[in-house]
Amino acid sequence: MSMPVAAATDSPASRGRAARGLFIVLEGPEGSGKTTQVGRLVAWLATLGIPTLRVREPGGTAAGEEIRRVLLDSGHVPPRAELLLLLAARAILVEEKIRPALEAGTVVVADRYTLSSLAYQGYGRGLGAERVEELDDFATGGLRPDLTVLLDVPVEVGEARRRAAGLVDDRIEQAGREFHRRVVEAYRLLAQSRPDVVVVDGTGPVDEVERAVRRLLTRAFPETFPCGEG
């Protein structure tokens, strides 16, 4: 799926962003490789001399990391409590880290943001996308990404990658295959209706996915990323 360049700069998301910096989010289901791509993207931006802040969700602040432990490593957390904890962590992250960085002209690269809540809690947990988005808008003060890159992989691919890596599942990863199928389908549905979301096939080799992400950024924001893929 491709996205017109204008969508990244003229979308409703641009109206909620802070003044000078760019807010880039990488999204995807479990095993999509988004955390790997966040790391590679931040490393590339460093070689270009672009001031960059890397954040993750949930987490990214002292309070956020405590909330992360509750969400991922504890026992049962009811769906509504799960959502509210996530949004509390996000509200703190926005106020303490993301907004100040954007106002300073920094490129912020986030490992998950609003789209995760819509997919996981809105659809996966059945809380409803409209309700989740309303609460998220309150928590973030309306701050939206300039571009969200969705790494699309089938559930089976993500599971196979995690098994191959010997990773231990956290509480949300243990939610079951049908839950994660709903999440994958939700991501795809949401991407179709949001001009600031672009889908990248995440099933290819890591280097190939990295090149695709770079191409998207250089096409969408040539004034910030003027030197191509590098």
Side-chain angles (χ1 to χ4, degrees):
M1 182 181 296
S2 61
M3 179 192 69
V5 171
T9 53
D10 300 336
S11 72
S14 64
R15 297 197 295 268
R17 84 183 195 202
R20 291 171 293 159
L22 287 175
F23 186 13
I24 310 298
V25 178
L26 270 70
E27 288 276 6
E30 309 305 325
S32 62
K34 64 177 176 48
T35 301
T36 297
Q37 293 302 328
V38 166
R40 288 190 169 214
L41 175 56
V42 169
W44 176 56
L45 297 180
T47 67
L48 299 178
I50 296 174
T52 306
L53 172 68
R54 176 180 181 174
V55 296
R56 72 172 182 175
E57 286 208 341
T61 65
E65 292 298 325
E66 291 296 326
I67 293 172
R68 182 184 183 89
R69 281 189 280 274
V70 172
L71 285 166
L72 302 185
D73 300 332
S74 64
H76 175 67
V77 178
R80 282 179 295 180
E82 179 180 277
L83 172 63
L84 293 173
L85 285 167
L86 284 163
L87 293 180
R90 183 171 299 150
I92 297 167
L93 181 63
V94 166
E95 292 306 312
E96 289 190 4
K97 301 286 187 176
I98 298 177
R99 281 192 191 277
L102 292 173
E103 289 167 0
T106 299
V107 173
V108 177
V109 180
D111 186 337
R112 296 198 183 284
Y113 193 65
T114 298
L115 209 66
S116 281
S117 297
L118 294 171
Y120 280 78
Q121 284 73 47
Y123 287 87
R125 299 296 194 199
L127 297 179
E130 185 174 343
R131 175 181 292 180
V132 170
E133 188 149 34
E134 181 180 357
L135 291 170
D136 179 81
D137 192 59
F138 174 73
T140 63
L143 181 65
R144 298 182 182 180
D146 296 292
L147 182 66
T148 297
V149 179
L150 171 59
L151 302 183
D152 181 44
V153 299
V155 172
E156 294 77 11
V157 171
E159 289 177 343
R161 287 176 173 176
R162 292 188 58 77
R163 283 195 303 270
L167 298 176
V168 177
D169 288 345
D170 60 38
R171 186 184 64 83
I172 292 178
E173 289 161 348
Q174 294 171 4
R177 180 171 287 187
E178 288 310 309
F179 170 82
H180 290 290
R181 286 193 194 281
R182 291 195 298 273
V183 169
V184 168
E185 291 305 314
Y187 269 130
R188 293 169 178 170
L189 180 65
L190 290 162
Q192 292 174 9
S193 62
R194 292 171 177 264
D196 58 327
V197 177
V198 60
V199 179
V200 170
D201 182 359
T203 62
V206 173
D207 290 347
E208 181 181 307
V209 176
E210 180 182 10
R211 287 192 294 270
V213 172
R214 290 187 185 184
R215 283 195 298 269
L216 287 173
L217 292 177
T218 56
R219 286 165 49 199
F221 307 109
E223 70 286 357
T224 302
F225 312 109
C227 59
E229 293 183 36

